[in-house]
Amino acid sequence: MDYKKSTTFEQLSGKELFEAVGKSLYEAFAVDNVIIGSVSDDSEGLEILSTCYQGKFGEPSYLSFAEVPEAEVVKQGTLFIVSETLKKQYPRYSHRHAGLAATYIGIPLFARNRQLVGVLSCLFQNPFNCMDALQAYCDTFLTYLGQEVGYEALLQRQVKLRWQLEEGQRVAKVGSWVWKLQEQHFEWSKEVYRIYDFKDESVKPTLSLLSELIHPEDREWVLDTLHRSIESDGVNYNLVHRVLLRDGSIRYLRKRAEVLRDSNGKAVEIRGTVHDVTDVYQISAKLNKASRQLTTTFNSVEEGIWEFDLERNEFATSAKFWHILGREKPVAGDDLETWLSCIVEEDRKEGIDYFDRFIQQQHASVFQFEFRVKPSSRIALDGNECWLTVKGSIVARDENGRPTKVAGIQRDITHSVEAKRQLDRAQVVFDNTSECILITDKDNKIISVNRAFEETTGYREKELLGLSPNVLSSGIHDDKYYQFLWHNLNHYGHWKGEVWNRRKNGEIYPEEISINVIRDDNEEIINYVAVFRDISHWKKAEEQLTFFAYKDPLTGLVNRRSFVKRVKQHIASIDDKRGQAFSLLFIDMDDFKSLNDLYGHDFGDKVLVHIASCLKRELPVADDICRYGGDEFCVLLPETTSGAARVWGQRVVDSVAEAFVLDDIEVNTTVSIGISTYPESGETHTELLKNADYAMYNMKGQGRNGVCQYDGALQSDYIDKLKMRDRLKKAISDELLTVYYQPVVDARTGKISRFEALVRWTDEVEGNISPAEFIPVAERYGLIRSLGDFVLHQVCHDLKQLHLAGFADVSISINRSVKEFISSNGLPPIWDTIESYALPLKSIIVEITESTASSESSDIQSLLASFKQKGIEIALDDFGTGYSSLSSVVELRPNIIKIDRSFIEGIDKQDNRTLVSLIIDLSHKLGIQVVAEGVETRKQLEILREMNCHFVQGFFYSPAVPLASCILILEAQL
C-alpha cells in the first residue's frame, strides 16, 4: 500500500500512525527495523510504542539507555548515524533483530514546544547511502509524529496518574457522546457538560453549539477532520484541540470517535469520548516553564555547581563549573582528575589534605579553599594569575553519621584577590608614604590619618578622630586666607599652597599642602583629602640657595650668573666708549683632568680652592673674580687697558705656577689666560667672554702656561676656520672629498694584508688641504660625524669593488673620531652600513686614536666592545703617545696596535728600539697584531723583521693611492 499517495500521515494517529510510518519506511527505503519510542519519565530509557521488522509489527516494550545508540540521539538532540561499526560500538544492543543490523540512523522527535519527546530509529542490515532522501522523506511527517509521540507519552503519564489516584478522585475528566447522523441528534454524558462548563444540563447539544465552543484557531481543521472521518473509513477522528469556554478560559480536549455504518457503508452514528486534558497540558507547560527558568537561573549564576559522592568516588559538575575554567566539560567522565590537573601543584596538594581533614573532622560544617589555576589550563587567559575558590558542605551521611556526599560551588575570585591586593598595597602606601595624609568626612571631621602624619604632628589618630583640622592651626593665617582656600575647594574641587601649622608640642612649622574634594556618583561631597609635607628643611635650604644664588659654594667666588650680570651692568654704565676701557681675564687650568684622575675629585676641589685664593691675593677686588665653571675662572678688571690686563694676567700665571703642598702631595699647576678688552675686543658681554675664551684656547695651542691677548690676527684666524668649516660642510654634502688607500704589508712576505683609508680634500679655493687642518675643524664644529659617515660609505663602496675584482680577502681600516660615537646624530650604526653593502663585518677595521679613546668615558669602551662582539676589529692608532698606553691595552683589548711613526723614525736609537721591542713582545703574548707606521727605509724594515713585527705601513712600500692604483698593486702580487 502506498501510504504517501493514498492519504497523509496527518490523517492518522496513535498506533495506526506509528505502524503506517514503519511500513512506509520499509517499503520506500527497505528499512529492516523501524522503532518508534518515547523518552521515559526518568529519562533512562525509551517506551517502545511501535516496532516494524520487515513490514511486521511487534508489541510495545521498554528499551534501557544503557549502551544503546538511542541514548546518544537523546543526549545530542540531533540526527545520529552509526555505519558498519554498530556491533563494535554497541555490543550489548540487544533489541529485537538489532544484532543483524549494519547501519543505525536515529532521528530525534520533538513536540510542539520543541521538547524532545522520543526517537525514530531505523536499522539496516546492509550499509545505507541515501541519507538525504531519507531525511527529506521523514521531514514530511516528523512534526506530526513528534506531537503524537508526545501525546502518547502524556497519555501514558495520565493513565499512570489516574491508576495511582484510585477510584473516587474523579480526575479522569472523560465524557462520552453519541451523534445519530440521520436524526441529527446529539447525546452528551454529564461529564461532557462539566467539561464544557455547562451548569444547566438541559441544554440541548448540537453540532453548531459544538462548533461555537471550538477555539477559533482550531475550528476549521477539527470540523474538517470530523466530516472526513464520516465520509471515509481511512480517517479516524482522534485528536486534541482547544475549546474556548464562555467565561473566556481555554481547555484542551482529547476526542476519540468511532463511526458506525450500515450494510451499504453509509455512516449512521458516531460514538466517541471527550477527555479534558487541560491539566496534563498545563502541568506540562508549567514543567517546561520551570525547566526553562531553572536552566536560565542555573546558567546565569556566577558559580559552578559540583557534587562529590564519597562512596562511589563520582564527581558531578555543571557546565558553568567548567565555563569558569574556560574549558569544555569532559566527556569521558573523568571530571575529578581533569579538574585537579588544572590546579597549581602546590595548591592541589594543600587542598586535598585540607579536604581529607574536613571529612575526618565531622564537627566542621563548611569546606572552603582558595587555589590558583595553571596558566596553561585556562583557555584565553589574559596572562594574569587566576584564583578560584571552592565551597561545599556535607549533604548526606550514612547510618553511622559518616559523610557520603558533599556538594557546593566553585567561583572565580581573581578580581576579588586582585582587589584585595590593591587595597593591601594602597594601605601599605598609605601607611608608609613619606607625605602626611589626613582624611575628613563631608562635615570636615577627621576620620583617618597615616603614620607620617602622626610622626610629623605628634598627634595620634585616636586623639584626632571626630575633630576638625583646626586643631592644627597656628594662628598665623587670617580669615581671608582660609576664605580663599574654601572658595577654591567649593568651586574647583582642589587647592594647593603653603600653610603654617602647629605640632602637638606647640612648635610652628611650614608645610606644602594639597587638598582635594572627593565626590560620589551623584556629585555629592563624601570626603576631603589633604596631603602635605613638612618643608622646614626646604625653607632652610631656600635660605642657603638664596645666599649661594650669586656665589660659588666651593670657592666662595662670584658665580657665573652673577658675574655675567655684573659685566652687563658695567657695560651699561659706560657713557663714552672711547674714554672708558675695561678688560676680562678668562682663566683655565692646564691639564686639570689629570689631577682628578690621579688623586680624585675631592683633591681636585681643594686645588680649585687654592687657585681661588691665589686670584684673591693677586687681584684687587674679590667680587670681580668669578668661578665660571669647572676649572675655569673669569676676572673683571674695570678701567684696565689690554696692556695693564696682560700684567695682571702674568701675575696670576706666576702665582699659580708656584708649587704648593696639599695633603702631603706637592702640586704643580699652570693656567692659560685669554684677555679681551672693551671696546676693541667686543662691545657686548657675549662677545667679550667669547673672545677672551678664544684667546685662552689659542694660548693652550701655543703651549699653555701663559697669557694671550685677543686681537685682529686671532680674529682673522677664527674667521678663516669658520670659512673652512662652511666649505668643508659643502664638500661633504656634495661628496667632493676623495678617499685614498695606503697598503698595510706583511713584514715577512711583503704581501698586502689590508689598506688604511685616508680622506683627501682638494678645495676649489685653497687647493689641497691637509687632514691635519680640516679634521680638527670638523671635530670642533660638529662635522666629524657626517665626515666619518661619508668616508665609511665610500670605503664600503670601494671595498665591494675590490671583492668583485677577485680580492675577497682584502680588508680596509677606517679612522673614526671618538666624538662620532658620543651621539649617533640619527646615523645608523657602523655594522648596519657595512651590511647594507653586503660586506662581511670583519672586512672593516675601526681605528681609534689611543689617547682620545683612553680619555673618554667607559661608554666608548662598551661601544668598542660591542663592535668586537659583532665581528668588527678594533685598531689602537698612534700607540705609545698616550700617557697610559699599557692600561689602554688592558681596558680596550684591541685586535691591532699601530705603533706611532715617531718611534719608527728613531728606531735606530736604543731607547726607541727597546720600547718598540717591548710593545711587540707584549702584543705577541696578548694575541694582538702589531702594525708599525711610518716605515720609510729598508733599515727600519729589517729591524722590525728581527723583532718579529707582524705588519708595516709607510712610504717604503707605497703612499696612499686611489682605488684604481690599489687594484694594480694587488694584481702585480698575483
Side-chain angles (χ1 to χ4, degrees):
M1 178 179 182
D2 190 345
Y3 287 90
K4 187 165 181 62
K5 292 183 179 180
S6 62
T7 185
T8 61
F9 290 112
E10 287 79 3
Q11 296 172 339
L12 304 177
S13 61
K15 181 178 180 181
E16 292 179 350
L17 173 63
F18 302 150
E19 291 180 351
V21 168
K23 194 166 184 179
S24 68
L25 288 173
Y26 171 68
E27 293 176 351
F29 296 93
V31 182
D32 295 283
N33 199 358
V34 179
I35 304 172
I36 301 175
S38 65
V39 180
S40 62
D41 292 340
D42 56 8
S43 299
E44 295 295 328
L46 281 182
E47 298 288 347
I48 304 302
L49 303 177
S50 173
T51 63
C52 180
Y53 177 69
Q54 295 183 351
K56 297 181 180 180
F57 303 105
E59 296 296 326
S61 61
Y62 178 79
L63 177 64
S64 173
F65 278 160
E67 298 185 19
V68 296
E70 281 82 0
E72 284 299 319
V73 179
V74 174
K75 180 179 179 181
Q76 298 179 13
T78 58
L79 182 73
F80 181 70
I81 302 174
V82 182
S83 300
E84 300 181 358
T85 60
L86 182 63
K87 297 178 182 178
K88 184 176 180 181
Q89 286 187 244
Y90 299 97
R92 299 183 182 179
Y93 192 23
S94 58
H95 190 72
R96 182 183 178 189
H97 306 298
L100 302 177
T103 300
Y104 170 87
I105 298 175
I107 303 175
L109 300 175
F110 297 93
R112 181 178 296 177
N113 59 3
R114 296 301 301 165
Q115 180 183 2
L116 193 149
V117 296
V119 177
L120 170 62
S121 296
C122 299
L123 292 93
F124 302 84
Q125 290 184 3
N126 299 314
F128 181 74
N129 299 317
C130 300
M131 188 60 231
D132 292 340
L134 177 63
Q135 182 71 52
Y137 185 82
C138 293
D139 286 344
T140 61
F141 59 77
L142 280 179
T143 301
Y144 186 73
L145 180 62
Q147 294 176 6
E148 285 297 311
V149 169
Y151 173 72
E152 289 296 328
L154 290 174
L155 183 61
Q156 289 179 6
R157 294 188 187 100
Q158 184 189 33
V159 171
K160 292 179 182 179
L161 181 63
R162 187 170 58 212
W163 176 77
Q164 291 173 351
L165 292 178
E166 305 251 348
E167 184 178 356
Q169 295 185 3
R170 302 192 73 244
V171 293
K173 301 179 181 179
V174 177
S176 60
W177 57 274
V178 176
W179 181 18
K180 297 181 179 180
L181 298 175
Q182 293 181 349
E183 294 87 357
Q184 288 295 311
H185 175 72
F186 268 95
E187 291 183 3
W188 287 349
S189 67
K190 292 183 178 181
E191 188 62 22
V192 176
Y193 282 98
R194 187 195 66 79
I195 290 173
Y196 284 113
D197 198 30
F198 282 109
K199 307 298 183 184
D200 184 5
E201 295 182 3
S202 63
V203 175
K204 184 177 180 181
T206 62
L207 181 60
S208 59
L209 179 60
L210 173 67
S211 301
E212 291 178 3
L213 294 174
I214 299 174
H215 195 282
E217 295 179 1
D218 298 345
R219 184 175 298 149
E220 182 177 353
W221 70 270
V222 171
L223 294 177
D224 180 68
T225 303
L226 176 63
H227 291 303
R228 285 191 293 110
S229 65
I230 296 174
E231 295 172 358
S232 172
D233 284 336
V235 178
N236 288 333
Y237 189 63
N238 185 351
L239 47 78
V240 177
H241 71 85
R242 295 169 293 174
V243 293
L244 182 61
L245 303 183
R246 295 179 179 180
D247 61 0
S249 61
I250 296 176
R251 289 185 180 179
Y252 288 83
L253 303 183
R254 174 71 171 186
K255 289 185 178 179
R256 296 176 183 269
E258 179 183 6
V259 179
L260 301 180
R261 302 181 184 278
D262 58 16
S263 57
N264 298 321
K266 182 180 180 180
V268 295
E269 185 176 303
I270 301 177
R271 296 179 180 178
T273 59
V274 177
H275 182 194
D276 186 351
V277 294
T278 303
D279 292 345
V280 177
Y281 270 80
Q282 287 179 346
I283 290 173
S284 177
K286 289 180 180 179
L287 287 175
N288 291 334
K289 181 179 180 181
S291 177
R292 290 193 300 270
Q293 292 175 341
L294 180 60
T295 301
T296 300
T297 303
F298 191 71
N299 292 331
S300 62
V301 296
E302 296 182 356
E303 295 84 3
I305 311 300
W306 60 271
E307 182 180 274
F308 186 33
D309 190 318
L310 299 175
E311 293 180 334
R312 299 181 180 179
N313 196 35
E314 293 179 351
F315 188 64
T317 57
S318 67
K320 189 71 173 182
F321 183 93
W322 296 98
H323 178 73
I324 293 173
L325 285 166
R327 299 173 62 94
E328 295 293 334
K329 180 178 173 63
V331 297
D334 54 349
D335 292 34
L336 181 59
E337 291 75 11
T338 303
W339 177 62
L340 290 175
S341 67
C342 296
I343 303 175
V344 171
E345 185 175 355
E346 178 183 354
D347 295 352
R348 179 169 67 242
K349 184 178 183 305
E350 182 181 351
I352 293 174
D353 293 342
Y354 180 55
F355 184 78
D356 291 340
R357 293 195 301 271
F358 167 74
I359 296 301
Q360 295 171 6
Q361 299 171 3
Q362 298 187 17
H363 60 276
S365 58
V366 177
F367 165 77
Q368 184 168 356
F369 183 72
E370 298 177 358
F371 59 91
R372 294 164 296 171
V373 178
K374 294 179 181 178
S376 60
S377 299
R378 180 164 176 170
I379 300 174
L381 193 64
D382 57 8
N384 296 325
E385 194 174 52
C386 175
W387 281 85
L388 303 182
T389 182
V390 289
K391 183 177 181 181
S393 58
I394 298 171
V395 296
R397 299 178 183 271
D398 60 14
E399 60 275 7
N400 299 318
R402 289 189 296 269
T404 59
K405 189 176 293 185
V406 182
I409 62 171
Q410 175 177 261
R411 179 187 299 131
D412 188 338
I413 59 170
T414 302
H415 294 301
S416 300
V417 171
E418 182 59 28
K420 183 178 183 302
R421 287 177 177 174
Q422 292 181 359
L423 289 175
D424 292 341
R425 288 194 292 265
Q427 186 63 43
V428 170
V429 172
F430 182 78
D431 290 338
N432 294 280
T433 184
S434 58
E435 281 78 11
C436 306
I437 302 176
L438 178 146
I439 304 175
T440 70
D441 60 14
K442 63 179 181 179
D443 299 320
N444 202 29
K445 301 300 180 183
I446 298 174
I447 60 175
S448 180
V449 299
N450 68 342
R451 190 179 306 160
F453 178 96
E454 295 179 336
E455 293 174 353
T456 299
T457 64
Y459 287 100
R460 294 292 173 261
E461 184 180 62
K462 61 182 180 181
E463 299 179 75
L464 298 174
L465 294 179
L467 300 181
S468 169
N470 291 338
V471 70
L472 305 173
S473 177
S474 64
I476 293 179
H477 304 290
D478 56 16
D479 292 341
K480 290 184 178 179
Y481 186 90
Y482 291 107
Q483 289 173 1
F484 177 76
L485 183 155
W486 281 103
H487 174 79
N488 279 268
L489 288 178
N490 293 330
H491 287 80
Y492 307 111
H494 59 87
W495 178 84
K496 184 176 182 179
E498 291 186 6
V499 174
W500 288 84
N501 272 339
R502 188 187 303 274
R503 306 187 206 274
K504 185 178 180 181
N505 61 10
E507 177 187 353
I508 296 176
Y509 68 99
E511 62 185 28
E512 183 184 61
I513 186 170
S514 175
I515 306 175
N516 287 278
V517 179
I518 309 300
R519 300 178 182 271
D520 60 16
D521 294 338
N522 298 320
E523 292 299 314
E524 297 292 334
I525 296 175
I526 55 175
N527 294 109
Y528 296 94
V529 178
V531 179
F532 64 90
R533 50 184 157 185
D534 184 347
I535 58 173
S536 300
H537 61 291
W538 285 13
K539 290 292 184 181
K540 294 179 182 178
E542 186 178 356
E543 294 175 2
Q544 294 177 349
L545 290 174
T546 301
F547 176 76
F548 289 113
Y550 301 102
K551 295 287 186 179
D552 173 51
L554 178 63
T555 63
L557 298 176
V558 174
N559 64 16
R560 178 176 180 175
R561 177 183 178 186
S562 179
F563 182 79
V564 171
K565 183 178 180 182
R566 187 181 296 267
V567 174
K568 291 169 65 176
Q569 291 174 345
H570 195 77
I571 294 173
S573 67
I574 297 176
D575 296 329
D576 186 0
K577 296 180 181 180
R578 295 170 296 172
Q580 300 184 39
F582 70 90
S583 298
L584 298 181
L585 303 182
F586 202 102
I587 305 168
D588 184 80
M589 294 188 64
D590 298 329
D591 204 17
F592 180 69
K593 187 176 185 299
S594 299
L595 288 173
N596 279 332
D597 292 342
L598 287 171
Y599 305 113
H601 289 278
D602 291 341
F603 186 87
D605 288 345
K606 293 178 182 179
V607 173
L608 292 174
V609 173
H610 172 78
I611 300 299
S613 300
C614 291
L615 295 176
K616 292 177 184 178
R617 184 173 63 248
E618 298 296 335
L619 297 169
V621 181
D623 284 347
D624 288 337
I625 306 171
C626 159
R627 184 187 176 196
Y628 200 71
D631 59 343
E632 297 175 334
F633 299 86
C634 282
V635 180
L636 170 65
L637 297 173
E639 300 179 0
T640 304
T641 62
S642 58
R646 180 178 288 276
V647 175
W648 285 109
Q650 192 59 49
R651 290 179 60 177
V652 171
V653 169
D654 296 340
S655 176
V656 172
E658 295 177 0
F660 63 97
V661 177
L662 186 61
D663 294 345
D664 298 328
I665 299 173
E666 183 176 337
V667 182
N668 292 278
T669 60
T670 62
V671 294
S672 297
I673 300 178
I675 300 174
S676 64
T677 303
Y678 177 90
E680 58 262 30
S681 298
E683 297 182 0
T684 66
H685 74 281
T686 303
E687 292 175 340
L688 291 169
L689 288 168
K690 178 188 67 175
N691 293 335
D693 183 28
Y694 189 82
M696 179 271 294
Y697 274 108
N698 190 68
M699 185 65 245
K700 285 186 178 289
Q702 296 176 13
R704 306 180 180 182
N705 192 26
V707 180
C708 179
Q709 171 69 42
Y710 180 84
D711 58 20
L714 290 177
Q715 186 174 11
S716 177
D717 181 65
Y718 176 67
I719 292 173
D720 289 343
K721 284 183 170 54
L722 289 180
K723 290 180 179 179
M724 181 181 290
R725 176 200 65 184
D726 295 338
R727 295 200 306 276
L728 178 59
K729 183 176 182 180
K730 186 175 186 303
I732 295 173
S733 62
D734 294 346
E735 298 184 356
L736 300 178
L737 303 174
T738 57
V739 180
Y740 278 34
Y741 303 94
Q742 186 174 34
V744 178
V745 180
D746 189 316
R748 290 159 296 193
T749 65
K751 296 291 185 181
I752 294 176
S753 170
R754 54 182 172 270
F755 292 91
E756 178 182 358
L758 299 171
V759 64
R760 296 291 184 261
W761 179 23
T762 302
D763 183 47
E764 60 183 7
V765 177
E766 298 184 10
N768 292 330
I769 301 177
S770 170
E773 293 184 45
F774 68 79
I775 288 180
V777 171
E779 289 185 335
R780 178 170 183 177
Y781 295 106
L783 300 177
I784 194 65
R785 298 183 188 90
S786 56
L787 177 60
D789 188 58
F790 166 79
V791 173
L792 176 61
H793 278 277
Q794 187 62 46
V795 168
C796 289
H797 175 271
D798 293 348
L799 183 58
K800 186 67 175 179
Q801 299 304 312
L802 285 177
H803 286 186
L804 293 175
F807 305 104
D809 294 334
V810 174
S811 58
I812 296 179
S813 63
I814 58 173
N815 291 280
R816 298 303 290 254
S817 170
V818 174
K819 294 182 179 180
E820 296 181 53
F821 304 134
I822 296 176
S823 173
S824 64
N825 199 30
L827 298 176
I830 287 178
W831 50 82
D832 283 356
T833 303
I834 297 172
E835 290 178 338
S836 69
Y837 285 88
L839 292 171
L841 294 177
K842 66 180 181 179
S843 64
I844 296 294
I845 302 167
V846 176
E847 293 191 13
I848 301 294
T849 303
E850 174 212 353
S851 57
T852 56
S854 300
S855 62
E856 293 298 332
S857 66
S858 60
D859 292 338
I860 296 299
Q861 299 177 19
S862 299
L863 180 61
L864 297 181
S866 68
F867 284 176
K868 292 165 53 177
Q869 186 177 8
K870 292 280 187 182
I872 302 175
E873 293 188 343
I874 303 299
L876 199 59
D877 199 10
D878 297 340
F879 186 78
T881 60
Y883 69 87
S884 57
S885 299
L886 295 179
S887 63
S888 65
V889 173
V890 176
E891 292 175 357
L892 300 177
R893 303 295 294 179
N895 304 98
I896 302 169
I897 291 175
K898 301 189 73 175
I899 304 175
D900 188 65
R901 65 179 62 249
S902 61
F903 295 99
I904 305 304
E905 290 174 356
I907 199 170
D908 54 342
K909 298 177 182 179
Q910 186 60 42
D911 290 344
N912 280 9
R913 185 178 300 185
T914 302
L915 180 58
V916 171
S917 179
L918 287 173
I919 294 173
I920 294 174
D921 290 342
L922 174 65
S923 301
H924 285 169
K925 292 178 180 179
L926 294 177
I928 299 174
Q929 298 179 21
V930 178
V931 178
E933 293 186 291
V935 177
E936 299 182 358
T937 66
R938 178 168 293 279
K939 182 178 179 181
Q940 294 171 343
L941 175 61
E942 294 299 333
I943 293 173
L944 291 169
R945 282 178 174 173
E946 291 176 3
M947 294 178 180
N948 291 324
C949 181
H950 300 140
F951 303 99
V952 294
Q953 178 181 350
F955 281 15
F956 179 77
Y957 283 101
S958 173
V961 295
L963 177 65
S965 299
C966 294
I967 295 176
L968 294 176
I969 295 173
L970 289 171
E971 290 176 345
Q973 291 187 348
L974 296 176

